[in-house]
Amino acid sequence: MTSTRTPARPFGRTLCAMITPFTEAGALDLDGARDLAAHLVAEGCDGLVLNGTTGESPTTTDAEKAELVAAVREAVGDGVPLVAGVGSADTRHTVELALAAQKAGADGVLVVTPYYSRPPQEAVEAHFRQVADASGVPVMLYDIPGRTGTRIEPDTVIRLAEHPRIVAVKDCSYDFLGTQKVLAHTELAYYAGCDEHVLALYATGAAGCVSTVANAVPGPVAAILEAFDAGDTARARELQLRATPLIEAMMAAGLPGTVTAKALLTRLGLPAGPVRAPLLPAGRERADGLLALYEELAAA
């Protein structure tokens, strides 16, 4: 049966995949995290995703992940949805992270496909169901086969949509046909996980976006969706295209989004700090280029 609903927004509309600030010594910077979270909300983000890949989750400990959620909850209060990344290659560990995130104050959990082992679809589905069964908060599936090596196939997503706690998808599949198939047959809230797809997916029926670029430009990202909701589709298109040079520089120019976001935030005087190995910081020339594109977008 085809769905014709207006998408719900269980976690907000403009979500930032927030970086995790570190001190210059490489420790978790909780004061910086509080300040950055408050800034992002004040500038237009109505939800935050913590402990994702942009938040360097592969290199933060379980304790640090819980501490980050608790600190950001304290900073933004109860009115801002917090989604905590809990993905791992181990189902049991993912369940443990989900329970810890809920205890720390998360409103939902982001669960990526188990990576490296490349499980078949039957195992992928069982993984998500087991996590959703154990979790006490809603689940956002994370479909990013370019990172995990395994797609959540559209038919698998449609079956998973039957689970009462599986309510959303962060979509980095680069498969618009498959995405449209799921949107047409489920009530799942889709969030564009690729910044270049924010408007395109929103116009197709998505609930919003989970944006890495919003770390640096939360207002311009939110403005794209605001213009579309106001019926000014020409303005929304203009804003998406205007952001394209910065999106390309941050997300498609050879460095991970975490690296470029931290480089730009540092230039802007906002909490960021270094990246953790195996990542390396952006060089001065790249940081200069990012700042120039930011200033160009800000002045437009």
Side-chain angles (χ1 to χ4, degrees):
M1 185 175 182
T2 299
S3 171
T4 58
R5 88 310 187 218
T6 299
R9 293 171 177 161
F11 304 118
R13 180 180 63 180
T14 307
L15 283 67
C16 178
M18 196 179 98
I19 60 103
T20 299
F22 298 131
T23 67
E24 289 306 314
L28 185 64
D29 180 4
L30 292 178
D31 287 338
R34 292 185 187 97
D35 290 346
L36 180 60
H39 165 78
L40 293 171
V41 170
E43 293 298 316
C45 294
D46 58 354
L48 299 173
V49 175
L50 309 173
N51 296 324
T53 309
T54 302
E56 296 179 77
S57 59
T59 59
T60 56
T61 67
D62 291 4
E64 286 175 327
K65 289 176 173 65
E67 290 169 6
L68 180 67
V69 173
V72 172
R73 171 56 70 206
E74 178 186 2
V76 301
D78 294 331
V80 178
L82 299 183
V83 181
V86 299
S88 78
D90 175 3
T91 302
R92 180 174 57 181
H93 188 204
T94 302
V95 168
E96 291 171 354
L97 289 171
L99 295 175
Q102 179 186 356
K103 184 177 180 180
D107 299 294
V109 290
L110 176 69
V111 187
V112 74
T113 317
Y115 40 83
Y116 192 77
S117 58
R118 303 190 71 174
Q121 289 300 297
E122 181 181 2
V124 169
E125 182 175 347
H127 171 81
F128 287 122
R129 288 188 181 278
Q130 187 169 336
V131 176
D133 285 343
S135 174
V137 293
V139 172
M140 179 188 289
L141 307 177
Y142 188 6
D143 189 14
I144 183 166
R147 292 283 186 97
T148 66
T150 303
R151 177 80 194 279
I152 316 174
E153 295 293 344
D155 287 342
T156 303
V157 179
I158 289 171
R159 290 192 299 273
L160 287 168
E162 299 170 358
H163 195 290
R165 284 203 191 96
I166 295 176
V167 301
V169 179
K170 180 183 177 183
D171 183 25
C172 291
S173 67
Y174 286 92
D175 175 15
F176 268 107
L177 180 60
T179 295
Q180 290 173 50
K181 179 179 178 179
V182 178
L183 282 168
H185 291 90
T186 76
E187 300 297 318
L188 290 172
Y190 258 71
Y191 288 87
C194 304
D195 279 274
E196 65 270 32
H197 288 174
V198 167
L199 178 58
L201 193 55
Y202 198 59
T204 309
C209 64
V210 177
S211 169
T212 294
V213 172
N215 278 284
V217 287
V221 174
I224 296 169
L225 305 184
E226 289 168 1
F228 189 88
D229 281 347
D232 193 346
T233 56
R235 176 65 174 166
R237 174 182 176 275
E238 176 188 354
L239 293 171
Q240 177 76 57
L241 296 180
R242 185 180 293 172
T244 297
L246 182 60
I247 291 170
E248 182 178 17
M250 289 185 67
M251 305 303 297
L255 291 179
T258 304
V259 174
T260 55
K262 282 196 163 183
L264 186 48
L265 287 171
T266 297
R267 287 298 183 91
L268 296 174
L270 290 165
V275 292
R276 284 182 175 174
L279 297 178
L280 294 173
R284 178 179 297 181
E285 183 177 350
R286 180 62 66 86
D288 288 345
L290 289 166
L291 182 60
L293 290 170
Y294 166 87
E295 291 174 342
E296 182 179 319
L297 178 59

